[in-house]
Amino acid sequence: MFGGGMARNLVKKAVAASVAAGAALVAVLALGATIFYALQLVVPPLAAAAITFLLFAVIAVVVALIFVARSEAEEEEGEEDSAGLGQRAYMLFRQRPILGTVAALAGGWIFLRNPALATMVAAAFTEKSHGSRRRR
């Protein structure tokens, strides 16, 4: 059977991930109960419940903001990576004009020596990138 070992490993990893997620859920619930009962010794039960809820809500907001910041940073990196050859050349000329000029002169010299290469580069400049894009 083709890929049988790979499928078995995939199922083992999925089971391990689900067991870890279940254990994390139980640990968070136990932590919440512990915090609630510890606060109940100091404040009335209703206040202990409110403080426990507020604590977990703040933690959830912080975790959500961290993940949003990471995803925005990854999207910005993805946008930079999806730049075509022409856009990268333009950015080179804007950020480092001397290096861009030297590269253009060297490229012109090479193109004079080999016109077929000039045709391939022109095709690369006009071709649209077919990179994988994520749906939102």
Side-chain angles (χ1 to χ4, degrees), residues 7-91:
R8 232 180 265 127
N9 286 338
L10 185 62
V11 169
K12 285 180 183 179
K13 288 180 182 180
V15 168
S18 63
V19 167
L25 177 66
V26 169
V28 169
L29 289 175
L31 177 66
T34 304
I35 291 171
F36 171 72
Y37 286 118
L39 285 173
Q40 197 174 9
L41 295 173
V42 180
V43 295
L46 190 59
I51 293 170
T52 304
F53 171 75
L54 182 64
L55 176 70
F56 278 88
V58 167
I59 291 171
V61 167
V62 168
V63 169
L65 289 176
I66 289 172
F67 278 111
V68 166
R70 280 187 188 171
S71 67
E72 287 177 357
E74 289 175 359
E75 285 178 5
E76 288 175 1
E77 289 176 6
E79 289 173 0
E80 290 175 3
D81 292 342
S82 66
L85 188 59
Q87 190 174 6
R88 288 191 303 199
Y90 175 72
M91 291 304 294

